[in-house]
Amino acid sequence: MDRVEGVFTEKDVIRALNSLPPRACPLEQGIRDLLLQNMENFIERIGLSVEELDHLNIIHVTGTKGKGSTCAYTEQILRSYGFRTGFLSSPHLVDIRERIRINGQPVDKELFYKHFSQVYRRLDDTKDAFDGLMPSHFSVFTLVAFRVFLEEKVDLAIIEVGIGGHYDSTNVIRRPWVCGVSSLGVDHIQMLGDTVEKIAWHKGGIFKPGVPAFTVKQPGDAMAVLKDRAKEKQCPLWVCPDLEDYQTDGGPLRLSLPGKHQHANASLALQLSHTWLQRRRLDKSFPTSPVEDTGVLQGTFLKPSPIMVKGLAETVWPGRAQILKHGEVTYFLDGAHTMRSMQACANWFKETSAQHEMNASGPVTRVLLFNTSGERDSNAMLRLLVPCHFDFAVFCTNIPDVGTFCPTDLWNVNHTVEDMKTRCLENERDWRCNNLENRNGTQLLTANNLTLLVPDQKANTLVFPCALSALQWISQGRDSVLTDRGITALQGQPNVKAKAPLLYDAAEIHVLITGSLYLVGAALQNLDPASYR
């Protein structure tokens, strides 16, 4: 690999990530019990110890929906108090350094490449002594984050679980200061199981003896499992109050992230940050007795401090209910990828788009840009979006731009370009079925050796090979950020041009981009390139 004084370049990092094994499935008997043992092995091989992680004063957060937003709120609140924060999250949107943040910002390039190269080289140099054992890419990012946070001497580290909890590589943490569980639902069923009860078991695996834990309100069966896990782990468990129950001097709390679903995330963040501050500033001990059989405890009805109120109002979490207005084209971006999050996304878009339409000078055309990844039920999610009354539904892969795409860029996904093309066509078919359209005519669109099908010109759907070509067609030259990139050959094909009048005759175009955080990231790379240089 191309190294300068032992430090990897960006290309070296991508090559290294492509050489790593996929994440192991914790449902596979004989594998799951080795996962954390292997993680301890990796920590030792990079020159750290599990005991050193205790110095990071960790807030450990899991959940199906909202754990990232909860972490973002918590990080903003504690940073607003003047603490130096570390934050590990996944996935990234555009730049892999987004996964590891210091004081709310992606870790510096030089620092990231230094620690990544050191971690990877130590693991690679020692693998022969351990039968070639190497971590998954997520575990490598976790290891790099631990090294960065320790070297940067952060006051605390907010660690978002990758998948599940019990067998997640982040669960090598022994003594967090506080744990949190955001809203639970069914996701990653091949990894965690096909019921919310099975998934709750995995999530409750991050509980630690005597360490306070908080959860948002959960479905009855899931709450019962969390209660049992807390009792098993000798862990006090509290349920967060409704956000409306907090008393403030200035009226209702204002959240920077829109949507009713954010209320639970904000309440959990208040409890996590308050509990962390109690231990940091007051040095009070926490209960070590197990939860009683009578049930979980009610979270504190604390009065948020002015700093907490300010933190909730100033939190920034890109790709989640984010709005970008580029002249006459407004983009609504939300990485919803579960049923519950997609319903919340649909509600947010309908309400917010309607507000924007009130100020429009003429007719507004609504466009859906959609894709999914993994094993998710895209047909069910698309049904939730039908009531948004889109004029067009556009489908594309998660590739930002076929002109610059390289297959090695797919290190973080478990499917090929062909898989992505097939998924796009399936999504397009499902959308037409959901809208009672069954037209057959198709045409091939080809760009940079990526060939896709599109329906005939009477249908209201199109399929594109990448986010850039889709966004360029949707905006019809009305977004200077995209026109500066040059127009792809797809734009001039007859079947594509025939669908354009409704777009260029509209006073405004509203575009909802959703279904996958990877798609949102691909869109942001094209729509907001200045923020990701």
Side-chain angles (χ1 to χ4, degrees), residues 27-330:
L27 291 183
E28 294 181 21
Q29 202 70 27
I31 291 180
R32 58 188 183 186
D33 294 330
L34 292 175
L35 295 178
L36 292 182
Q37 180 180 325
N38 289 344
M39 191 63 183
E40 293 179 5
N41 170 285
F42 299 142
I43 287 175
E44 293 176 0
R45 283 162 59 183
I46 67 170
L48 296 179
S49 68
V50 175
E51 290 75 18
E52 287 180 84
L53 305 183
D54 297 343
H55 302 306
L56 292 177
N57 309 331
I58 288 169
I59 297 175
H60 202 190
V61 182
T62 188
T64 305
K65 172 176 164 285
K67 64 181 185 290
S69 298
T70 295
C71 290
Y73 280 129
T74 306
E75 189 278 332
Q76 178 69 55
I77 289 171
L78 293 174
R79 177 157 46 91
S80 297
Y81 272 95
F83 293 109
R84 183 170 175 79
T85 62
F87 179 13
L88 170 68
S89 66
S90 63
H92 62 278
L93 292 175
V94 176
D95 192 317
I96 55 178
R97 295 179 299 112
E98 297 169 43
R99 293 172 178 247
I100 304 172
R101 296 173 182 263
I102 300 290
N103 279 342
Q105 296 300 314
V107 66
D108 175 78
K109 280 187 178 182
E110 183 178 345
L111 190 66
F112 174 80
Y113 290 133
K114 180 186 83 169
H115 283 287
F116 187 97
S117 60
Q118 290 175 353
V119 165
Y120 183 84
R121 182 176 298 111
R122 291 189 182 189
L123 292 168
D124 191 52
D125 290 346
T126 57
K127 67 181 181 182
D128 291 342
F130 297 94
D131 296 323
L133 182 65
M134 290 289 282
S136 68
H137 66 77
F138 179 81
S139 296
V140 166
F141 283 120
T142 303
L143 294 166
V144 173
F146 288 156
R147 281 186 60 105
V148 170
F149 296 158
L150 286 167
E151 178 173 295
E152 291 299 298
K153 295 180 170 57
V154 297
D155 295 310
L156 72 144
I158 298 168
I159 306 296
E160 178 189 351
V161 166
I163 294 178
H166 187 93
Y167 298 110
D168 189 73
S169 61
T170 65
N171 206 31
V172 72
I173 299 163
R174 302 181 315 158
R175 296 177 182 173
W177 277 21
V178 61
C179 297
V181 183
S182 66
S183 178
L184 298 182
V186 177
D187 194 20
H188 299 294
I189 59 176
Q190 292 183 352
M191 300 282 284
L192 306 178
D194 56 2
T195 68
V196 71
E197 295 83 11
K198 293 177 182 178
I199 290 170
W201 185 91
H202 283 272
K203 306 295 184 181
I206 71 168
F207 296 159
K208 301 295 186 297
V211 174
F214 293 86
T215 178
V216 303
K217 293 177 179 178
Q218 307 285 2
D221 292 339
M223 185 64 80
V225 174
L226 290 180
K227 172 188 168 183
D228 290 342
R229 291 290 267 162
K231 185 175 181 179
E232 170 194 341
K233 299 279 188 178
Q234 299 277 297
C235 162
L237 177 64
W238 283 269
V239 178
C240 297
D242 293 333
L243 191 66
E244 294 73 20
D245 292 334
Y246 292 90
Q247 301 298 315
T248 67
D249 294 329
L253 290 166
R254 186 175 70 84
L255 304 182
S256 60
L257 305 179
K260 180 73 173 178
H261 61 288
Q262 289 292 349
H263 291 196
N265 301 331
S267 178
L268 179 55
L270 287 173
Q271 296 292 330
L272 294 175
S273 56
H274 173 72
T275 303
W276 191 92
L277 286 167
Q278 276 191 314
R279 178 162 179 176
R280 170 77 181 206
R281 297 199 161 190
L282 303 181
D283 196 28
K284 289 185 176 181
S285 60
F286 289 92
T288 57
S289 59
V291 177
E292 299 295 334
D293 290 340
T294 52
V296 294
L297 305 170
Q298 178 62 47
T300 305
F301 288 94
L302 61 94
K303 181 179 180 179
S305 69
I307 293 178
M308 289 178 171
V309 173
K310 182 172 181 285
L312 293 178
E314 294 182 351
T315 297
V316 176
W317 195 225
R320 287 80 171 177
Q322 181 180 2
I323 298 175
L324 293 176
K325 186 168 178 59
H326 291 190
E328 297 167 343
V329 186
T330 303

Side-chain angles (χ1 to χ4, degrees), residues 10-23 89-100 112 116 135-142 399 405-417 420 518 525:
E10 183 176 0
K11 288 184 178 180
D12 291 330
V13 171
I14 299 301
R15 291 193 195 107
L17 290 170
N18 275 290
S19 74
L20 296 173
R23 187 180 304 196
S89 66
S90 63
H92 62 278
L93 292 175
V94 176
D95 192 317
I96 55 178
R97 295 179 299 112
E98 297 169 43
R99 293 172 178 247
I100 304 172
F112 174 80
F116 187 97
S136 68
H137 66 77
F138 179 81
S139 296
V140 166
F141 283 120
T142 303
I399 296 171
F405 170 71
C406 176
T408 58
D409 295 337
L410 298 179
W411 59 267
N412 60 334
V413 295
N414 294 323
H415 44 259
T416 66
V417 173
M420 289 193 288
Y518 296 114
Q525 188 168 332

